[in-house]
Amino acid sequence: MSGPLHPKSRYLFSLSLLVLLSFQGGCARGSAQRGLVVAGSTSVQPFADHWAEVYMKENPGRVVNVQGGGSSAGIQAARTGAADIGMSSRELKPEEKDLLEVIVAWDGLAIIVHPGNRIEELSLEQVQNVFAGNITNWAALGGSNHLITVVTREEGSGTRGAFQEMVMKKNRVLRGAIVQDSNGTVREIVANDPQSIGYISLGLVNQKVKAVRFDGVEATFENIEQKKYRLIRPFLFVTSGAPNAAAQEFINFVLSRPTQEMVRHDGLIPVFKD
Amino acid sequence: MTRLERNEKLTRLALLLVAFSAVSILLVITIFIFSEGTPVMFRYGLQKFLFGLDWFPLEKSYGLLPMIIGSLFVTAGALIIGIPFGLACAIVLTEFSSKRLRRLLKPIIELLAGIPSVVYGFMGVVILVPFIRDNLGGPGLSVLAASIILGIMILPTVISISIDSLEAVPRSYREGSIALGATRWQTTRMVMFPAAKSGIIASIILGMGRAIGETMAVIMIAGNAAIIPRSLLDPVRTLTSNIALEMGYAAGEHREALFATGVILFIIIMVLNTIANLTSKRRTP
Amino acid sequence: MRIYVDPKIEQRFFRAVLWLFTGVTVFILFFIIFYVLKRGLPVVSLGFLTKNPVEMGKAGGIFSTIVGTVALTLLAILIATPLGVGSAIYLTEYTRENWVTRVIRFGSECLAGIPSIIFGLFGFILFVTKLGLGWSLLSGGLTLAFMILPTIIRTSEEAIQSVPYAYREVSFSLGGTKWQTVTRVVLPSALPGIATGVILGVGRSIGETAAVIFTAGSSLHIPTSLFSSSRTMSVHFYILAREGISMANAYGTAAVLIIAILIINVLAYTLMNKFMRKYC
């Protein structure tokens, strides 16, 4: 730059320098400030977020950042170090088995319909047939004479994977099904469409939707703990190698008895085995 | 060479480098998207990839045809809705309204462009989707819902570029036509429109680009079933929603296939951009 | 056979149709704004604006997302403005139309047409994973900067071009160098026009979702450094509304967003008007 700076531009210049410097300061403290990053499954996220909230309240000064992104993104992030802990709502694939996994809770899967739907109970076979597209009218199940709107999760989602494995087995979900990318959106659609059916985490079932009895068993925590209700899957925390100190402390906190009691309260099934 | 001259030279060089930032960013984006996306396309077979009907990424089957057709359907729908409304606004604002009204209406319509796309999507979810479901049948999340919302979203693009090209027509054209006894409408239809044609076409092509590229609004209201829709009331999945929907959980080859979806989208957009660029260039002599 | 229609009647008919279509368009706009504000404004209070979200946004306010939005937008502007204005200066002041400028313009126009999801994918693969920046303000800010760069280039170019040539001649005749002329005469005169472009860029950044969610993540904490992940208001609204976490808070967030966009548009428009009145 030639010549002395114009007073106005000198002011601008120092202002931008100031801004840059303040960011520089941020950089220097970067990794300490970013806190513990927990990223992954959108199914685990709401619960992990709650755990983090309590954890931070009990341990002032600790920062836990909970991110969505999906199970695979979380696993990927744990591998690359973008996250300290990855969250997964599906079992690890064989090629991911080099990572360390901890089951932090179990989650039930509920088959949900609109609260106004007359249907109260569906068998495994019926659910299979509805989602495969072999049964297309509620009348065939004893309901009103309306076409069924099937709502499913996207391919690759942990919830979809669990549903495929436990319910659909070798059958494919029909192609014309509405596809949504989170439990919440599936719940919203089922809550608004009287003719729809979907599946979500048991813990997220609320009064806006109705969970049907599956094979005669009501989707409740008692029934899951007594191994009567069979649609369950693990929620995993994944780390690349042994977790670092901060991650280990958070994992210990999550596995501790008080937190696991809270897990039950949140609508998941705790992991302690007594 | 004096110090001053050297400084000038250096500034020019620095500015040239800066000026190439947009081009280099475009290049880097192209390289990254293509290097992530193309290997799987060729490994899997380009023909199967482009014309396959089965999108079952977990079974390693990556047929993209339903999404390509889905994108074309909703875009066509958006144009059918967006063009008449957009051109009507452009004509009214340039030919049939007082200057004061124009100065009031134009910024208001441009405001449409500023509303976040998620708000449009949300309006679709709370108003349009239930309306379609209750009155026309089907799940409501459909080609129709996506077309209408996208049609509204492309309006600002179509309107503002059409206005620019109508305003660029020399005054003498209009005056000559009126002097010959033609009505305003005749003038618009027979003189102004043909004269501004290339700009109007460019506005439509850019609107098309916006419709094809929109993601969040579409994901909220299209239903996202990977099928070729048979009616306006069927759910549909576009190229963009295919990416955004599955990116979170995709791993390995599945993820590459999503980048490959991005490659196809990228190529479509670049072709549209080039066409728009060429048509609007022809306008200026 | 052609039926003769009186041109006056024909005109009356088409004018009515055209006005009807325009009326519908304007109505849709007002309807959207009214609908969102009516449901959202009652939720908006000082507490809503200054408290952090609790339970994923079910309760509490949206403070951290406001901070996230401002930080991300500021970062994008800080990166994109020098590049954009620099490009515009080069294109208008330092060169004639030739193949180089054509390449630069074409590149910028293409960049403007690229869908945000592609920016998101790109930002995710380059900044978040390859460069290891993670989901962060920096990743998001860089991605957004790339996205708004063409807008800033175009508006700055227009603004600089409309500064009368006489201004430059005076400066040159007083012995000013090109750079001095540009920085002390041209740029100050073009400032309102450039500011309009920057403000439009701000508007686009605030409203963006697809590119941001893949690069800046969706953490609800107040960002403390360039490397913290952050959630913008648009992303927050998207998540609240889609997941049905809290419709009230979703509408509240949308209302704040819409008001911000309104202010930005009014600001850009008045600046533009002032600028136009000065030179055109």
Side-chain angles (χ1 to χ4, degrees):
Chain A
M1 218 174 281
S2 57
L5 283 166
H6 188 267
K8 209 179 207 171
S9 56
R10 194 182 311 162
Y11 166 72
L12 269 176
F13 183 70
S14 46
L15 188 75
S16 48
L17 205 66
L18 204 72
V19 172
L20 276 175
L21 280 176
S22 64
F23 277 123
Q24 213 57 46
C27 288
R29 287 169 296 153
S31 56
Q33 290 246 324
R34 97 174 180 173
L36 186 73
V37 177
V38 183
S41 165
T42 49
S43 298
V44 190
Q45 191 187 7
F47 305 106
D49 210 69
H50 189 199
W51 303 334
E53 226 167 80
V54 176
Y55 177 72
M56 285 187 286
K57 205 171 279 168
E58 285 179 11
N59 302 282
R62 298 280 154 78
V63 179
V64 180
N65 257 307
V66 180
Q67 301 270 336
S71 295
S72 297
I75 292 166
Q76 178 90 10
R79 192 187 292 281
T80 59
D84 301 279
I85 300 175
M87 304 182 281
S88 174
S89 55
R90 60 166 172 76
E91 311 256 11
L92 293 184
K93 296 195 174 128
E95 69 266 26
E96 295 164 343
K97 281 292 185 189
D98 56 315
L99 296 165
L100 234 59
E101 55 168 85
V102 185
I103 298 174
V104 289
W106 293 89
D107 178 34
L109 216 57
I111 312 291
I112 55 166
V113 295
H114 191 268
N117 199 321
R118 265 188 278 159
I119 304 288
E120 298 289 342
E121 179 179 337
L122 291 170
S123 68
L124 172 75
E125 212 171 318
Q126 283 173 323
V127 175
Q128 244 180 31
N129 278 322
V130 167
F131 276 85
N134 303 330
I135 296 177
T136 57
N137 198 307
W138 284 112
L141 300 165
S144 56
N145 181 24
H146 282 102
L147 290 177
I148 303 174
T149 306
V150 177
V151 188
T152 186
R153 288 290 304 281
E154 82 281 10
E155 287 236 14
S157 115
T159 315
R160 165 103 176 233
F163 181 77
Q164 183 74 42
E165 211 169 284
M166 294 184 291
V167 179
M168 297 310 284
K169 314 244 160 74
K170 294 277 164 228
N171 304 297
R172 269 187 190 155
V173 172
L174 88 148
R175 287 152 182 261
I178 300 286
V179 181
Q180 295 295 321
D181 60 357
S182 76
N183 278 299
T185 49
V186 172
R187 183 179 65 190
E188 273 309 293
I189 288 180
V190 173
N192 289 315
D193 185 343
Q195 314 310 338
S196 58
I197 184 168
Y199 53 88
I200 63 170
S201 281
L202 183 56
L204 290 173
V205 174
N206 62 9
Q207 71 289 348
K208 289 199 276 184
V209 293
K210 180 170 78 178
V212 296
R213 280 198 300 276
F214 181 73
D215 264 351
V217 184
E218 205 167 332
T220 60
F221 302 111
E222 296 72 46
N223 285 339
I224 290 177
E225 280 173 342
Q226 291 166 18
K227 307 243 163 35
K228 283 187 195 149
Y229 189 81
R230 294 170 304 157
L231 299 183
I232 57 166
R233 55 158 173 176
F235 277 176
L236 302 175
F237 271 12
V238 179
T239 53
S240 168
N244 59 39
Q248 188 62 55
E249 195 186 305
F250 184 60
I251 293 174
N252 290 344
F253 167 81
V254 171
L255 294 177
S256 70
R257 183 160 277 279
T259 317
Q260 289 290 320
E261 291 291 350
M262 195 170 77
V263 159
R264 191 200 303 269
H265 184 75
D266 280 344
L268 295 178
I269 296 92
V271 283
F272 45 59
K273 301 176 185 75
D274 46 304
Chain B
M1 212 189 319
T2 65
R3 213 194 87 204
L4 214 64
E5 274 168 353
R6 208 179 50 236
N7 276 349
E8 278 300 313
K9 267 231 162 74
L10 280 176
T11 337
R12 177 189 295 272
L13 194 69
L15 283 172
L16 178 65
L17 282 178
V18 168
F20 265 101
S21 56
V23 181
S24 9
I25 288 168
L26 183 70
L27 252 139
V28 172
I29 292 180
T30 316
I31 291 168
F32 267 91
I33 302 288
F34 275 70
S35 67
E36 292 286 321
T38 38
V40 69
M41 281 160 76
F42 293 110
R43 218 183 312 132
Y44 180 70
L46 196 58
Q47 195 165 356
K48 267 203 297 177
F49 184 74
L50 286 176
F51 301 107
L53 289 168
D54 298 316
W55 177 263
F56 296 116
L58 294 186
E59 298 168 27
K60 303 224 174 292
S61 124
Y62 309 109
L64 212 55
L65 193 64
M67 277 63 94
I68 295 175
I69 291 185
S71 274
L72 291 181
F73 273 15
V74 296
T75 306
L79 291 179
I80 289 171
I81 290 154
I83 292 175
F85 281 93
L87 292 189
C89 283
I91 293 170
V92 163
L93 288 186
T94 49
E95 310 293 324
F96 288 106
S97 63
S98 66
K99 208 170 170 191
R100 256 177 72 196
L101 196 65
R102 187 182 325 164
R103 285 191 42 188
L104 182 75
L105 281 183
K106 203 177 169 214
I108 288 180
I109 286 169
E110 275 166 3
L111 190 62
L112 269 172
I115 297 178
S117 56
V118 279
V119 173
Y120 284 107
F122 184 60
M123 298 307 282
V125 171
V126 293
I127 296 170
L128 202 56
V129 167
F131 180 83
I132 293 174
R133 185 173 57 224
D134 296 343
N135 295 293
L136 303 172
L141 302 154
S142 55
V143 180
L144 184 64
S147 298
I148 293 175
I149 292 295
L150 283 176
I152 296 172
M153 291 179 73
I154 64 170
L155 280 175
T157 312
V158 175
I159 294 172
S160 61
I161 299 175
S162 297
I163 286 182
D164 287 348
S165 58
L166 281 169
E167 275 175 348
V169 176
R171 277 176 69 101
S172 55
Y173 283 33
R174 184 190 291 124
E175 284 159 0
S177 168
I178 302 270
L180 287 171
T183 62
R184 276 243 155 197
W185 168 247
Q186 283 173 324
T187 307
T188 305
R189 186 163 58 90
M190 295 188 272
V191 179
M192 303 300 289
F193 230 73
K197 201 171 77 191
S198 61
I200 290 172
I201 291 172
S203 82
I204 291 168
I205 294 171
L206 289 175
M208 216 168 140
R210 172 130 204 234
I212 290 184
E214 179 49 45
T215 312
M216 292 330 220
V218 175
I219 229 178
M220 292 167 95
I221 50 177
N224 310 323
I227 47 160
I228 296 175
R230 293 215 199 93
S231 88
L232 282 177
L233 302 176
D234 278 349
V236 64
R237 185 186 295 192
T238 64
L239 290 166
T240 49
S241 31
N242 195 42
I243 302 171
L245 204 60
E246 296 186 356
M247 200 58 203
Y249 286 90
E253 201 171 68
H254 184 186
R255 205 175 78 143
E256 286 180 56
L258 296 181
F259 272 92
T261 312
V263 169
I264 303 294
L265 180 66
F266 191 88
I267 292 172
I268 294 176
I269 294 282
M270 288 307 261
V271 169
L272 284 179
N273 273 340
T274 314
I275 295 174
N277 200 280
L278 292 179
T279 34
S280 59
K281 280 287 137 59
R282 228 180 297 148
R283 174 180 43 162
T284 42
Chain C
M1 200 185 91
R2 239 192 103 112
I3 304 162
Y4 177 77
V5 184
D6 184 342
K8 288 244 169 66
I9 294 173
E10 187 195 343
Q11 159 147 314
R12 199 168 295 160
F13 171 75
F14 277 102
R15 181 144 64 175
V17 171
L18 291 173
W19 269 107
L20 179 75
F21 275 42
T22 310
V24 170
T25 306
V26 175
F27 170 78
I28 289 172
L29 175 77
F30 277 111
F31 178 78
I32 293 176
I33 293 178
F34 179 75
Y35 190 93
V36 171
L37 290 186
K38 191 186 158 213
R39 285 164 180 73
L41 279 183
V43 183
V44 180
S45 64
L46 196 64
F48 186 73
L49 295 174
T50 56
K51 281 200 190 106
N52 279 335
V54 182
E55 288 178 55
M56 299 208 54
K58 200 181 281 175
I62 57 165
F63 182 66
S64 66
T65 68
I66 296 178
V67 175
T69 309
V70 172
L72 207 59
T73 306
L74 207 67
L75 200 57
I77 291 298
L78 279 178
I79 299 165
T81 308
L83 291 179
V85 176
S87 304
I89 292 173
Y90 182 79
L91 286 174
T92 49
E93 304 290 318
Y94 278 84
T95 186
R96 285 201 185 83
E97 280 301 311
N98 55 21
W99 68 270
V100 177
T101 59
R102 273 200 295 279
V103 167
I104 292 172
R105 286 222 176 78
F106 181 70
S108 159
E109 269 168 50
C110 285
L111 200 62
I114 290 183
S116 50
I117 182 80
I118 299 274
F119 279 101
L121 275 183
F122 163 73
F124 176 70
I125 200 80
L126 178 61
F127 302 130
V128 177
T129 56
K130 288 247 158 75
L131 295 180
L133 301 176
W135 289 292
S136 61
L137 282 181
L138 197 54
S139 305
L142 283 165
T143 309
L144 277 181
F146 291 0
M147 228 173 87
I148 61 175
L149 180 61
T151 314
I152 297 184
I153 293 181
R154 198 176 45 236
T155 40
S156 306
E157 220 191 313
E158 276 165 18
I160 292 173
Q161 261 166 358
S162 54
V163 174
Y165 201 74
Y167 284 40
R168 298 173 176 89
E169 279 165 348
V170 170
S171 167
F172 288 139
S173 68
L174 290 173
T177 64
K178 188 135 216 171
W179 180 246
Q180 284 169 335
T181 308
V182 167
T183 48
R184 298 189 193 166
V185 178
V186 178
L187 280 188
S189 317
L191 202 60
I194 295 172
T196 311
V198 173
I199 291 172
L200 291 177
V202 170
R204 180 135 192 236
S205 308
I206 291 181
E208 183 51 43
T209 318
V212 174
I213 210 166
F214 282 116
T215 53
S218 55
S219 161
L220 272 174
H221 299 290
I222 296 175
T224 48
S225 84
L226 279 182
F227 297 98
S228 7
S229 159
S230 173
R231 185 186 288 196
T232 65
M233 286 190 279
S234 290
V235 173
H236 190 53
F237 168 72
Y238 176 74
I239 292 174
L240 287 184
R242 276 208 83 198
E243 313 254 331
I245 293 170
S246 158
M247 279 301 154
N249 282 357
Y251 278 117
T253 314
V256 175
L257 261 175
I258 294 250
I259 289 172
I261 296 286
L262 275 174
I263 292 172
I264 284 165
N265 268 273
V266 170
L267 214 62
Y269 195 70
T270 28
L271 268 176
M272 197 55 140
N273 255 356
K274 227 180 228 163
F275 188 64
M276 296 291 251
R277 219 168 295 146
K278 199 166 159 196
Y279 295 113
C280 304

